[in-house]
Amino acid sequence: MVKARAEAAGSRRWHVLSRLDEHQRRRLRVAVIVLLALALAAWAVAPAVRAVTLVGNRHTRSAPDAHTASLPVEEVHFTATDGVHLAGWLAVAAHDAPTIILVHGFKGSRTAMLPWARFLFAAGYNVLLYDSRGCGASAGWSIGLGATEPRDVIGAARYLAARSDLRVKQFGALGVSLGAGEVLLAAAREPSLVTVVADSAWTDEHAQLDRMGSLPLGPLAVPALPYEPTLVDALIGAHLADARPLNAIPHIAPRAVLLIASADDANTTTPLAGTHQLYAAAGQPKDEWIAPSGGHAGALFAHPVEYKARVLAFFSRYLETKT
């Protein structure tokens, strides 16, 4: 009797454990399925998140403070050629002096161009610094990755041309990094930009577009769904692949181009080989200076005396004779 009871109790325990094991297995299967679904959803949505993060600039913007300029600037407002409202500063050294348009880099603002503005203004040039679309105090929630910003540069030139107090109606432009490619693209379409300096320029957007083909996962690169370039185009209102300073630069001649780069620029979007390609494609007159060091967009700070001398000599030769 005792043995029978023990066997019955053991059987009951086995059935309970068996049911518990089956319940745990079911829960494990559900957990695995949920995790796989979440991973798949994350993989599918990751290109969209990256696209919005790449072009969006809502949370990192601030209105520049004129007190930081150390220049006699006036606040100015004008529109890009597609109607986007832009804000900037104009410092007038003399009403009969040439004006140079300064264009900042990726998600920057006009304040990033103050080191250039100060030495150009000290040399007697008027300078216009402004916030590109989606940056600083200008309108727009996103940047255009260089595909739409040439409209800002051209809008700046046309704004200056319309000012009755500025007697010289042909202008110089100096852009840095993303802004370097933008001034090249703009000058190819705007004849009033007669002298262009492009510091750390890019040739095209292939590096950016190639990056969209995969997602980093530790040391691995996982293929991504291929909709990110299309989404970026929709967000910026332009075709990113068409933004090609390398194609535009031959059309600037006979207006002058100076290309500046640092020999140790490690930025994947602005390799030194790209600067050489741009120089080879440009018409005359043109010049190229490869600073021995400075990294990406850092030649002014690494070699300030030579940088300023070269830029001022270039503007003096090709801008002031175009008045």
Side-chain angles (χ1 to χ4, degrees):
M1 181 68 69
V2 173
K3 183 178 179 182
R5 289 174 181 170
E7 288 176 350
S11 178
R12 286 195 297 274
R13 282 197 300 271
W14 186 88
H15 285 298
V16 169
L17 289 173
S18 179
R19 286 197 298 273
L20 284 174
D21 287 346
E22 180 60 30
H23 180 65
Q24 289 171 341
R25 284 194 293 270
R26 236 184 346 256
R27 288 182 62 184
L28 180 60
R29 283 197 296 270
V30 170
V32 169
I33 291 170
V34 168
L35 287 174
L36 287 174
L38 289 173
L40 184 62
W43 172 74
V45 79
V49 172
R50 185 168 60 182
V52 172
T53 303
L54 177 64
V55 303
N57 197 29
R58 186 185 300 274
H59 301 298
T60 59
R61 295 167 61 174
S62 61
D65 183 355
H67 293 97
T68 66
S70 300
L71 290 172
V73 297
E74 63 169 295
E75 183 80 18
V76 297
H77 297 270
F78 56 95
T79 58
T81 56
D82 58 356
V84 176
H85 292 275
L86 305 172
W89 290 327
L90 177 65
V92 178
H95 294 293
D96 58 354
T99 304
I100 298 172
I101 300 166
L102 301 175
V103 185
H104 62 76
F106 181 77
K107 294 186 180 181
S109 75
R110 70 189 89 161
T111 57
M113 299 308 295
L114 282 170
W116 287 265
R118 289 175 183 135
F119 83 78
L120 290 166
F121 183 82
Y125 293 101
N126 307 325
V127 289
L128 173 64
L129 314 81
Y130 68 91
D131 303 326
S132 297
R133 63 185 61 212
C135 297
S138 291
W141 73 273
S142 70
I143 67 168
L145 297 173
T148 54
E149 285 84 356
R151 304 168 192 172
D152 303 351
V153 183
I154 297 171
R158 294 180 182 176
Y159 163 74
L160 293 172
R163 285 187 63 121
S164 59
D165 59 333
L166 299 176
R167 300 189 184 97
V168 181
K169 300 304 182 181
Q170 295 180 305
F171 312 106
L174 187 154
V176 175
S177 190
L178 185 63
E182 293 165 10
V183 296
L184 294 174
L185 289 165
R189 307 202 300 252
E190 177 51 49
S192 69
L193 297 172
V194 298
T195 312
V196 180
V197 177
D199 182 339
S200 305
W202 41 284
T203 59
D204 54 43
E205 289 289 3
H206 279 163
Q208 199 69 260
L209 292 166
D210 289 347
R211 216 177 274 135
M212 297 177 189
S214 62
L215 297 168
L217 185 63
L220 303 176
V222 179
L225 288 174
Y227 66 83
E228 188 174 353
T230 302
L231 178 57
V232 167
D233 287 352
L235 291 172
I236 66 177
H239 192 39
L240 187 60
D242 290 342
R244 291 179 55 85
L246 185 60
N247 287 359
I249 198 169
H251 302 288
I252 299 174
R255 291 162 292 135
V257 175
L258 168 61
L259 299 171
I260 296 174
S262 298
D264 58 350
D265 187 346
N267 191 299
T268 56
T269 64
T270 57
L272 190 58
T275 300
H276 294 324
Q277 285 181 295
L278 288 166
Y279 183 75
Q284 294 290 347
K286 62 182 176 180
D287 200 359
E288 179 186 50
W289 177 49
I290 307 302
S293 61
H296 182 65
L300 170 62
F301 309 103
H303 308 278
V305 174
E306 186 171 5
Y307 189 106
K308 294 174 186 178
R310 286 179 177 271
V311 169
L312 291 174
F314 194 77
F315 279 131
S316 177
R317 181 176 182 186
Y318 295 109
L319 179 59
E320 291 185 315
T321 58
K322 298 287 185 180
T323 60

